[in-house]
Amino acid sequence: MSNHQYRPDVDGLRAIAVLSVILFHVDASLLPGGFVGVDIFFVISGFLISRNILEELARGRFSIGEFYRRRVKRIAPPMLIVVGVTLLAAQLLMLPEDIERAADSALWSLASLANVFFWTHHDGGYFAAASHDQPLLHLWSLGVEEQFYILWPLLLLLVHRARWLFLGAGLVALASFALGEIVFARDPSFAYYMLPTRAGELLLGGMVALASLRGVERRLPAAAVTPIALLGLALMVAPLFMLSEESVFPGVLAAPPTLGTALLILAGHCAQNPISRALSLRPLVWIGLVSYSAYLWHWPLLALYRYGGHAQLGAAPGVVLVAATFALAWMTYRFIETPARRSRGSVRQVVSRQYVIPALALAALSLVVMKLDGFGWRSDEYRQALAAARQATRPAHQYDYVCQRMQISPADLSNPACVLGPAPHDRPQAILWGDSNAAHYIGVVGAFAELSDFSFRNLAIGACPPLFSDPTAFVASRRTADCLAAAAPVRDTVRRFPVVIVSASYTAYLAESAEFLDAFEATVRALANEGRLVIVIGKAPVIEAYDRRCREKALTYPLMDCRPFTAPQDPDVTAANARLRDFAARMPRVEYFDVTDYLCSAGRCSPFEGDRPLYYDSGHLSMPASWDLGKRIVREDGVPAPFRLIESWAAQQFSQSPAPAASPSTPASTTPSTTQ
């Protein structure tokens, strides 16, 4: 915008937006809905850019080339600096796979497709690293903006004189908010990251620009300006405190804060008012001027700090990181943004010098990083130390003898490799069934099997509860189809065995519905009533503070504290296990067992035995530790009573019925190697 059109109150709005986002990312409890700051930015951007385009179109001076020349000068240089510095910091501090992922996200970000990358590639699965470990995650919002500004200028070029433009933009904006609400239930990542569900926010800003150029101030009574500004302020600020990460967003809930922002911009255009004067205060204006660079810097600083084991920021680190953010933002604004915007080269010169050439250099660097699998210049000694640290915490699903899948196949139901224990492997007496919380007990049960002379098949479907009834109410929407598809074949397979050992992440399913244990007990009751012996294994202690990658990260990240520790027992786990224990005590042919007493003492639990880690993540034993824990239990107390029943129970059942077609004949084997 030309100087005479400068709106200091809009810079004040920028300050509110960036401060909201930063406070939310430092500590969500400070401002639970602070993520709305990004949506405030979208409205401001839609207003400023649309007003420029519409003014130039009205004068007959609009040029697509000149538009993108200005976009490159404004957006590219600071973004490229941040991407380059972040890649370098990642190479110094992060694990190879995280370095590689950062490089991959950088490639997409350079093409203004970061939002597409994080929608399609961001692993939100069961064992995913936390989002706060992704140092370029925040660039998704730049992707949304740049994709919008590929389409919007071309559309305005065609229809800027149409009388229906304002109404048409409003209808599309409403459709965008509605789409976010509809899509969220099926694909929340798409709803969050992608343009169709965010376009309405940018269009609201465009509608204010259109109204301002059509003389809205002449139609609006002066007495209405301040009430409109107050209403806008209330609509914008209230969601910052009332929304949270649990809210369905974007969608209908994105309408109030973005509409409020639009009303504030509109009121400030029509006349000076108390709100616009407050937003024009010099401290807010200064923050607004550096807000773009502050947004770019804040997330990599927070992400890389948290990567070093600081999931919760204390007050002092939070203050230091915010101060560092604004120090870097000022330097970037002073020495990068301002000179770049003052450059007077042609479209070709600006685009090539300020975007294409440095972006290609960063792309080449990213490709080299990915080609080297993130290891870069790291030594063979580092590789060996990393491999040793990872072997100690390998999870169940990485072993060939574990049939844990996210999608079950017929081969998994009869895979001979997934039968453990003494012979006969063609006629295993039991099946260990459940989700990943059953799979991580394979070593424990395997150690019992060796001494009690039984064999068992294992079968686990990730994030799917072991139920004969409909699991839909208890699982995340993205897992519903796989869980339903597995239900019938798994049920038929389980019923071939005289003994069923079952375990699950009971607390995870209870978080979806308080009725889960009723459904689970009904399944166990059905199996017992059919004459089977059912052994329910309780959930292992959950230790949220545990980070298996701590010792891996400590190889390159300085001052990490990876010492053994203890944590209090999780009350939800304790309550779920107690109910299952009581249920088993009341039910014929149902037994209960859990490992809590071997991992906890006096109400406190440890993910370590001495200095050796036992867990893969906060709720799963590693497979080497599972085998060792089983051997320890046998050594200290013998085989637990429920498992001593298996051989005799199965022999009795087999003598009365045909052999279960559990798997093809395979040679007898000993306990699988825990280093497989």
Side-chain angles (χ1 to χ4, degrees):
M1 298 180 72
S2 55
N3 288 333
H4 71 276
Q5 295 172 317
Y6 173 65
R7 292 273 303 274
D9 60 315
V10 173
D11 269 329
L13 279 174
R14 279 192 178 119
I16 299 297
V18 77
L19 288 172
S20 299
V21 172
I22 291 173
L23 285 175
F24 172 74
H25 286 153
V26 168
D27 185 346
S29 67
L30 297 174
L31 204 61
F35 54 86
V36 168
V38 173
D39 308 273
I40 296 172
F41 271 128
F42 284 155
V43 179
I44 296 169
S45 176
F47 167 71
L48 294 174
I49 303 304
S50 299
R51 185 176 175 99
N52 280 346
I53 296 171
L54 290 166
E55 283 184 334
E56 292 181 356
L57 285 169
R59 299 189 192 113
R61 294 172 52 189
F62 179 71
S63 161
I64 290 289
E66 179 62 20
F67 172 78
Y68 287 116
R69 174 180 172 273
R70 290 200 302 266
R71 288 300 293 168
V72 165
K73 291 199 300 180
R74 167 72 173 134
I75 298 297
M79 184 268 288
L80 294 171
I81 289 292
V82 171
V83 169
V85 171
T86 301
L87 284 177
L88 177 60
Q91 186 65 54
L92 294 171
L93 298 174
M94 301 182 86
L95 290 169
E97 65 270 22
D98 297 327
I99 297 170
E100 190 174 6
R101 183 175 178 78
D104 199 3
S105 67
L107 275 177
W108 289 70
S109 299
L110 294 171
S112 296
L113 293 170
N115 59 324
V116 179
F117 173 81
F118 288 110
W119 169 47
T120 57
H121 291 68
H122 184 48
D123 181 8
Y126 203 58
F127 297 113
S131 293
H132 65 225
D133 281 354
Q134 310 295 327
L136 295 175
L137 179 66
H138 65 317
L139 297 186
W140 72 267
S141 61
L142 295 189
V144 170
E145 277 203 45
E146 295 316 303
Q147 291 153 30
F148 180 79
Y149 292 127
I150 290 173
L151 303 173
W152 185 234
L154 298 175
L155 182 62
L156 289 180
L157 187 62
L158 295 174
V159 301
H160 68 279
R161 296 183 185 278
R163 294 184 177 181
W164 50 262
L165 178 57
F166 186 89
L167 177 61
L171 292 174
V172 175
L174 285 174
S176 176
F177 290 121
L179 181 65
E181 193 77 15
I182 294 167
V183 170
F184 187 92
R186 296 183 179 179
D187 192 344
S189 291
F190 181 94
Y192 193 86
Y193 290 121
M194 298 302 289
L195 175 61
T197 56
R198 298 283 187 171
E201 301 165 12
L202 290 145
L203 286 171
L204 279 178
M207 292 169 68
V208 176
L210 190 62
S212 68
L213 292 174
R214 290 183 175 179
V216 66
E217 69 277 7
R218 296 191 297 271
R219 302 188 183 97
L220 191 67
V225 172
T226 296
I228 288 174
L230 289 170
L231 174 62
L233 183 66
L235 289 172
M236 183 185 75
V237 172
L240 298 177
F241 297 93
M242 297 175 66
L243 298 180
S244 73
E245 293 173 285
E246 304 303 318
S247 302
V248 175
F249 195 95
V252 173
L253 292 178
T258 51
L259 178 60
T261 305
L263 291 176
L264 283 169
I265 297 172
L266 181 67
H269 166 79
C270 291
Q272 280 287 314
N273 61 79
I275 307 303
S276 66
R277 284 193 290 272
L279 290 171
S280 300
L281 293 173
R282 294 186 69 177
L284 285 178
V285 170
W286 183 86
I287 294 172
L289 289 172
V290 303
S291 60
Y292 175 54
S293 289
Y295 179 78
L296 289 176
W297 282 113
H298 89 283
W299 183 254
L301 288 174
L302 291 172
L304 290 170
Y305 181 76
R306 284 191 168 113
Y307 191 82
H310 310 289
Q312 300 297 324
L313 297 182
V319 169
V320 170
L321 288 167
V322 171
T325 292
F326 282 101
L328 288 169
W330 178 82
M331 287 189 286
T332 305
Y333 176 78
R334 174 69 177 81
F335 299 110
I336 304 296
E337 279 193 68
T338 302
R341 282 188 287 177
R342 288 175 178 169
S343 62
R344 300 190 178 278
S346 65
V347 174
R348 180 181 60 80
Q349 289 171 329
V350 167
V351 172
S352 61
R353 293 173 185 173
Q354 296 190 20
Y355 173 61
V356 174
I357 293 174
L360 286 175
L362 287 174
L365 173 62
S366 299
L367 289 171
V368 169
V369 168
M370 295 168 69
K371 181 68 174 177
L372 296 174
D373 297 326
F375 281 95
W377 59 76
R378 293 180 180 176
S379 65
D380 290 340
E381 289 79 6
Y382 170 82
R383 293 171 183 256
Q384 293 167 5
L386 181 63
R390 288 183 169 168
Q391 176 56 38
T393 59
R394 281 183 70 188
H397 67 269
Q398 291 184 4
Y399 287 79
D400 293 340
Y401 57 82
V402 176
C403 279
Q404 178 188 337
R405 309 286 185 262
M406 298 304 285
Q407 295 176 319
I408 212 73
S409 71
D412 297 318
L413 303 176
S414 59
N415 185 348
C418 296
V419 178
L420 288 79
H425 274 210
D426 62 334
R427 195 181 173 99
Q429 296 100 320
I431 184 169
L432 173 59
W433 170 43
D435 55 17
S436 60
N437 280 250
H440 77 151
Y441 285 128
I442 288 172
V444 172
V445 178
F448 299 162
E450 288 299 313
L451 262 72
S452 288
D453 202 31
F454 69 85
S455 58
F456 68 100
R457 170 173 294 285
N458 68 84
L459 182 62
I461 305 93
C464 291
L467 297 176
F468 285 169
S469 57
D470 187 344
T472 304
F474 313 115
V475 299
S477 57
R478 66 180 180 274
R479 295 295 300 139
T480 301
D482 290 338
C483 295
L484 289 173
V490 168
R491 181 172 59 246
D492 292 343
T493 300
V494 168
R495 280 182 161 146
R496 295 174 183 171
F497 293 85
V499 180
V500 178
I501 308 164
V502 62
S503 190
S505 181
Y506 310 112
T507 50
Y509 305 125
L510 282 169
E512 297 288 336
S513 171
E515 298 177 358
F516 170 70
L517 287 181
D518 294 332
F520 177 75
E521 289 172 358
T523 296
V524 172
R525 187 180 294 109
L527 288 166
N529 288 342
E530 292 168 358
R532 291 171 181 81
L533 172 64
V534 184
I535 302 174
V536 177
I537 305 182
K539 183 169 175 60
V542 173
I543 305 172
E544 294 293 350
Y546 174 72
D547 178 10
R548 80 175 186 282
R549 304 203 306 167
C550 185
R551 298 184 183 199
E552 299 171 21
K553 293 176 183 178
L555 296 172
T556 52
Y557 200 107
L559 303 178
M560 289 196 68
D561 184 2
C562 303
R563 291 172 296 178
F565 63 92
T566 62
Q569 288 183 243
D570 186 309
D572 293 334
V573 173
T574 300
N577 284 349
R579 172 167 167 176
L580 292 172
R581 183 184 297 106
D582 292 343
F583 168 73
R586 298 192 309 269
M587 274 293 299
R589 295 181 293 278
V590 177
E591 301 287 336
Y592 177 82
F593 171 77
D594 75 39
V595 297
T596 300
D597 290 344
Y598 298 94
L599 299 173
C600 306
S601 176
R604 296 192 68 84
C605 309
S606 176
F608 296 88
E609 183 175 38
D611 195 50
R612 176 173 171 268
L614 299 176
Y615 275 59
Y616 168 67
D617 65 9
S618 62
H620 295 83
L621 298 168
S622 72
M623 188 49 63
S626 181
W627 283 102
D628 288 347
L629 179 60
K631 293 172 184 176
R632 175 190 160 197
I633 293 170
V634 169
R635 185 172 62 252
E636 293 180 2
D637 299 314
V639 175
F643 298 91
R644 293 200 301 268
L645 300 172
I646 292 177
E647 184 186 10
S648 60
W649 186 277
Q652 177 184 353
Q653 298 301 312
F654 281 152
S655 68
Q656 299 173 5
S657 62
S663 65
S665 178
T666 184
S669 71
T670 58
T671 301
S673 169
T674 59
T675 60
Q676 181 175 335

mmCIF file with all atom_site columns, all heavy atoms in Angstrom, residues 484-496:
data_model
loop_
_atom_site.group_PDB
_atom_site.id
_atom_site.type_symbol
_atom_site.label_atom_id
_atom_site.label_alt_id
_atom_site.label_comp_id
_atom_site.label_asym_id
_atom_site.label_entity_id
_atom_site.label_seq_id
_atom_site.pdbx_PDB_ins_code
_atom_site.Cartn_x
_atom_site.Cartn_y
_atom_site.Cartn_z
_atom_site.occupancy
_atom_site.B_iso_or_equiv
_atom_site.pdbx_formal_charge
_atom_site.auth_seq_id
_atom_site.auth_comp_id
_atom_site.auth_asym_id
_atom_site.auth_atom_id
_atom_site.pdbx_PDB_model_num
ATOM 1  N N   . LEU A 1 484 ? -12.741 -52.422 11.373 1.00 0.00 ? 484 LEU A N   1
ATOM 2  C CA  . LEU A 1 484 ? -13.937 -53.142 10.919 1.00 0.00 ? 484 LEU A CA  1
ATOM 3  C C   . LEU A 1 484 ? -13.569 -54.251 9.940  1.00 0.00 ? 484 LEU A C   1
ATOM 4  O O   . LEU A 1 484 ? -14.131 -55.351 9.991  1.00 0.00 ? 484 LEU A O   1
ATOM 5  C CB  . LEU A 1 484 ? -14.920 -52.168 10.277 1.00 0.00 ? 484 LEU A CB  1
ATOM 6  C CG  . LEU A 1 484 ? -15.637 -51.204 11.235 1.00 0.00 ? 484 LEU A CG  1
ATOM 7  C CD1 . LEU A 1 484 ? -16.443 -50.176 10.442 1.00 0.00 ? 484 LEU A CD1 1
ATOM 8  C CD2 . LEU A 1 484 ? -16.552 -51.967 12.183 1.00 0.00 ? 484 LEU A CD2 1
ATOM 9  N N   . ALA A 1 485 ? -12.615 -53.965 9.046  1.00 0.00 ? 485 ALA A N   1
ATOM 10 C CA  . ALA A 1 485 ? -12.215 -54.971 8.056  1.00 0.00 ? 485 ALA A CA  1
ATOM 11 C C   . ALA A 1 485 ? -11.567 -56.181 8.732  1.00 0.00 ? 485 ALA A C   1
ATOM 12 O O   . ALA A 1 485 ? -11.694 -57.318 8.244  1.00 0.00 ? 485 ALA A O   1
ATOM 13 C CB  . ALA A 1 485 ? -11.240 -54.354 7.056  1.00 0.00 ? 485 ALA A CB  1
ATOM 14 N N   . ALA A 1 486 ? -10.870 -55.955 9.847  1.00 0.00 ? 486 ALA A N   1
ATOM 15 C CA  . ALA A 1 486 ? -10.190 -57.056 10.536 1.00 0.00 ? 486 ALA A CA  1
ATOM 16 C C   . ALA A 1 486 ? -11.120 -57.867 11.418 1.00 0.00 ? 486 ALA A C   1
ATOM 17 O O   . ALA A 1 486 ? -10.792 -59.004 11.789 1.00 0.00 ? 486 ALA A O   1
ATOM 18 C CB  . ALA A 1 486 ? -9.043  -56.500 11.379 1.00 0.00 ? 486 ALA A CB  1
ATOM 19 N N   . ALA A 1 487 ? -12.277 -57.330 11.760 1.00 0.00 ? 487 ALA A N   1
ATOM 20 C CA  . ALA A 1 487 ? -13.119 -57.924 12.803 1.00 0.00 ? 487 ALA A CA  1
ATOM 21 C C   . ALA A 1 487 ? -13.484 -59.376 12.526 1.00 0.00 ? 487 ALA A C   1
ATOM 22 O O   . ALA A 1 487 ? -13.253 -60.265 13.361 1.00 0.00 ? 487 ALA A O   1
ATOM 23 C CB  . ALA A 1 487 ? -14.372 -57.080 12.998 1.00 0.00 ? 487 ALA A CB  1
ATOM 24 N N   . ALA A 1 488 ? -14.069 -59.663 11.375 1.00 0.00 ? 488 ALA A N   1
ATOM 25 C CA  . ALA A 1 488 ? -14.564 -61.017 11.099 1.00 0.00 ? 488 ALA A CA  1
ATOM 26 C C   . ALA A 1 488 ? -13.432 -62.041 10.990 1.00 0.00 ? 488 ALA A C   1
ATOM 27 O O   . ALA A 1 488 ? -13.477 -63.089 11.653 1.00 0.00 ? 488 ALA A O   1
ATOM 28 C CB  . ALA A 1 488 ? -15.426 -61.013 9.841  1.00 0.00 ? 488 ALA A CB  1
ATOM 29 N N   . PRO A 1 489 ? -12.396 -61.795 10.163 1.00 0.00 ? 489 PRO A N   1
ATOM 30 C CA  . PRO A 1 489 ? -11.327 -62.811 10.075 1.00 0.00 ? 489 PRO A CA  1
ATOM 31 C C   . PRO A 1 489 ? -10.590 -63.019 11.395 1.00 0.00 ? 489 PRO A C   1
ATOM 32 O O   . PRO A 1 489 ? -10.206 -64.150 11.717 1.00 0.00 ? 489 PRO A O   1
ATOM 33 C CB  . PRO A 1 489 ? -10.388 -62.260 8.993  1.00 0.00 ? 489 PRO A CB  1
ATOM 34 C CG  . PRO A 1 489 ? -10.738 -60.821 8.845  1.00 0.00 ? 489 PRO A CG  1
ATOM 35 C CD  . PRO A 1 489 ? -12.176 -60.704 9.195  1.00 0.00 ? 489 PRO A CD  1
ATOM 36 N N   . VAL A 1 490 ? -10.398 -61.978 12.167 1.00 0.00 ? 490 VAL A N   1
ATOM 37 C CA  . VAL A 1 490 ? -9.720  -62.124 13.452 1.00 0.00 ? 490 VAL A CA  1
ATOM 38 C C   . VAL A 1 490 ? -10.600 -62.909 14.420 1.00 0.00 ? 490 VAL A C   1
ATOM 39 O O   . VAL A 1 490 ? -10.122 -63.791 15.147 1.00 0.00 ? 490 VAL A O   1
ATOM 40 C CB  . VAL A 1 490 ? -9.345  -60.745 14.025 1.00 0.00 ? 490 VAL A CB  1
ATOM 41 C CG1 . VAL A 1 490 ? -8.902  -60.868 15.479 1.00 0.00 ? 490 VAL A CG1 1
ATOM 42 C CG2 . VAL A 1 490 ? -8.242  -60.105 13.192 1.00 0.00 ? 490 VAL A CG2 1
ATOM 43 N N   . ARG A 1 491 ? -11.878 -62.624 14.436 1.00 0.00 ? 491 ARG A N   1
ATOM 44 C CA  . ARG A 1 491 ? -12.800 -63.351 15.324 1.00 0.00 ? 491 ARG A CA  1
ATOM 45 C C   . ARG A 1 491 ? -12.786 -64.842 15.000 1.00 0.00 ? 491 ARG A C   1
ATOM 46 O O   . ARG A 1 491 ? -12.709 -65.691 15.901 1.00 0.00 ? 491 ARG A O   1
ATOM 47 C CB  . ARG A 1 491 ? -14.214 -62.792 15.163 1.00 0.00 ? 491 ARG A CB  1
ATOM 48 C CG  . ARG A 1 491 ? -15.237 -63.471 16.071 1.00 0.00 ? 491 ARG A CG  1
ATOM 49 C CD  . ARG A 1 491 ? -16.580 -62.741 16.014 1.00 0.00 ? 491 ARG A CD  1
ATOM 50 N NE  . ARG A 1 491 ? -17.124 -62.697 14.677 1.00 0.00 ? 491 ARG A NE  1
ATOM 51 C CZ  . ARG A 1 491 ? -17.294 -61.578 13.965 1.00 0.00 ? 491 ARG A CZ  1
ATOM 52 N NH1 . ARG A 1 491 ? -16.947 -60.410 14.467 1.00 0.00 ? 491 ARG A NH1 1
ATOM 53 N NH2 . ARG A 1 491 ? -17.801 -61.618 12.740 1.00 0.00 ? 491 ARG A NH2 1
ATOM 54 N N   . ASP A 1 492 ? -12.806 -65.180 13.711 1.00 0.00 ? 492 ASP A N   1
ATOM 55 C CA  . ASP A 1 492 ? -12.785 -66.592 13.322 1.00 0.00 ? 492 ASP A CA  1
ATOM 56 C C   . ASP A 1 492 ? -11.472 -67.253 13.730 1.00 0.00 ? 492 ASP A C   1
ATOM 57 O O   . ASP A 1 492 ? -11.456 -68.413 14.162 1.00 0.00 ? 492 ASP A O   1
ATOM 58 C CB  . ASP A 1 492 ? -12.976 -66.713 11.804 1.00 0.00 ? 492 ASP A CB  1
ATOM 59 C CG  . ASP A 1 492 ? -14.373 -66.294 11.368 1.00 0.00 ? 492 ASP A CG  1
ATOM 60 O OD1 . ASP A 1 492 ? -15.272 -66.232 12.232 1.00 0.00 ? 492 ASP A OD1 1
ATOM 61 O OD2 . ASP A 1 492 ? -14.564 -66.006 10.172 1.00 0.00 ? 492 ASP A OD2 1
ATOM 62 N N   . THR A 1 493 ? -10.369 -66.518 13.590 1.00 0.00 ? 493 THR A N   1
ATOM 63 C CA  . THR A 1 493 ? -9.060  -67.067 13.961 1.00 0.00 ? 493 THR A CA  1
ATOM 64 C C   . THR A 1 493 ? -8.966  -67.290 15.464 1.00 0.00 ? 493 THR A C   1
ATOM 65 O O   . THR A 1 493 ? -8.508  -68.345 15.930 1.00 0.00 ? 493 THR A O   1
ATOM 66 C CB  . THR A 1 493 ? -7.939  -66.121 13.500 1.00 0.00 ? 493 THR A CB  1
ATOM 67 O OG1 . THR A 1 493 ? -7.999  -65.970 12.077 1.00 0.00 ? 493 THR A OG1 1
ATOM 68 C CG2 . THR A 1 493 ? -6.569  -66.647 13.895 1.00 0.00 ? 493 THR A CG2 1
ATOM 69 N N   . VAL A 1 494 ? -9.378  -66.317 16.244 1.00 0.00 ? 494 VAL A N   1
ATOM 70 C CA  . VAL A 1 494 ? -9.298  -66.415 17.705 1.00 0.00 ? 494 VAL A CA  1
ATOM 71 C C   . VAL A 1 494 ? -10.087 -67.619 18.204 1.00 0.00 ? 494 VAL A C   1
ATOM 72 O O   . VAL A 1 494 ? -9.653  -68.337 19.123 1.00 0.00 ? 494 VAL A O   1
ATOM 73 C CB  . VAL A 1 494 ? -9.799  -65.107 18.348 1.00 0.00 ? 494 VAL A CB  1
ATOM 74 C CG1 . VAL A 1 494 ? -10.018 -65.284 19.854 1.00 0.00 ? 494 VAL A CG1 1
ATOM 75 C CG2 . VAL A 1 494 ? -8.806  -63.980 18.090 1.00 0.00 ? 494 VAL A CG2 1
ATOM 76 N N   . ARG A 1 495 ? -11.223 -67.903 17.593 1.00 0.00 ? 495 ARG A N   1
ATOM 77 C CA  . ARG A 1 495 ? -12.083 -68.994 18.058 1.00 0.00 ? 495 ARG A CA  1
ATOM 78 C C   . ARG A 1 495 ? -11.532 -70.380 17.725 1.00 0.00 ? 495 ARG A C   1
ATOM 79 O O   . ARG A 1 495 ? -12.118 -71.390 18.120 1.00 0.00 ? 495 ARG A O   1
ATOM 80 C CB  . ARG A 1 495 ? -13.486 -68.812 17.477 1.00 0.00 ? 495 ARG A CB  1
ATOM 81 C CG  . ARG A 1 495 ? -14.291 -67.773 18.264 1.00 0.00 ? 495 ARG A CG  1
ATOM 82 C CD  . ARG A 1 495 ? -15.685 -67.618 17.748 1.00 0.00 ? 495 ARG A CD  1
ATOM 83 N NE  . ARG A 1 495 ? -16.550 -66.981 18.743 1.00 0.00 ? 495 ARG A NE  1
ATOM 84 C CZ  . ARG A 1 495 ? -17.547 -66.153 18.448 1.00 0.00 ? 495 ARG A CZ  1
ATOM 85 N NH1 . ARG A 1 495 ? -17.811 -65.856 17.182 1.00 0.00 ? 495 ARG A NH1 1
ATOM 86 N NH2 . ARG A 1 495 ? -18.280 -65.638 19.407 1.00 0.00 ? 495 ARG A NH2 1
ATOM 87 N N   . ARG A 1 496 ? -10.413 -70.455 17.009 1.00 0.00 ? 496 ARG A N   1
ATOM 88 C CA  . ARG A 1 496 ? -9.793  -71.752 16.749 1.00 0.00 ? 496 ARG A CA  1
ATOM 89 C C   . ARG A 1 496 ? -8.950  -72.238 17.921 1.00 0.00 ? 496 ARG A C   1
ATOM 90 O O   . ARG A 1 496 ? -8.497  -73.381 17.923 1.00 0.00 ? 496 ARG A O   1
ATOM 91 C CB  . ARG A 1 496 ? -8.888  -71.657 15.511 1.00 0.00 ? 496 ARG A CB  1
ATOM 92 C CG  . ARG A 1 496 ? -9.631  -71.377 14.216 1.00 0.00 ? 496 ARG A CG  1
ATOM 93 C CD  . ARG A 1 496 ? -8.632  -71.159 13.098 1.00 0.00 ? 496 ARG A CD  1
ATOM 94 N NE  . ARG A 1 496 ? -9.286  -70.816 11.846 1.00 0.00 ? 496 ARG A NE  1
ATOM 95 C CZ  . ARG A 1 496 ? -8.646  -70.414 10.756 1.00 0.00 ? 496 ARG A CZ  1
ATOM 96 N NH1 . ARG A 1 496 ? -7.331  -70.309 10.783 1.00 0.00 ? 496 ARG A NH1 1
ATOM 97 N NH2 . ARG A 1 496 ? -9.308  -70.121 9.662  1.00 0.00 ? 496 ARG A NH2 1
#
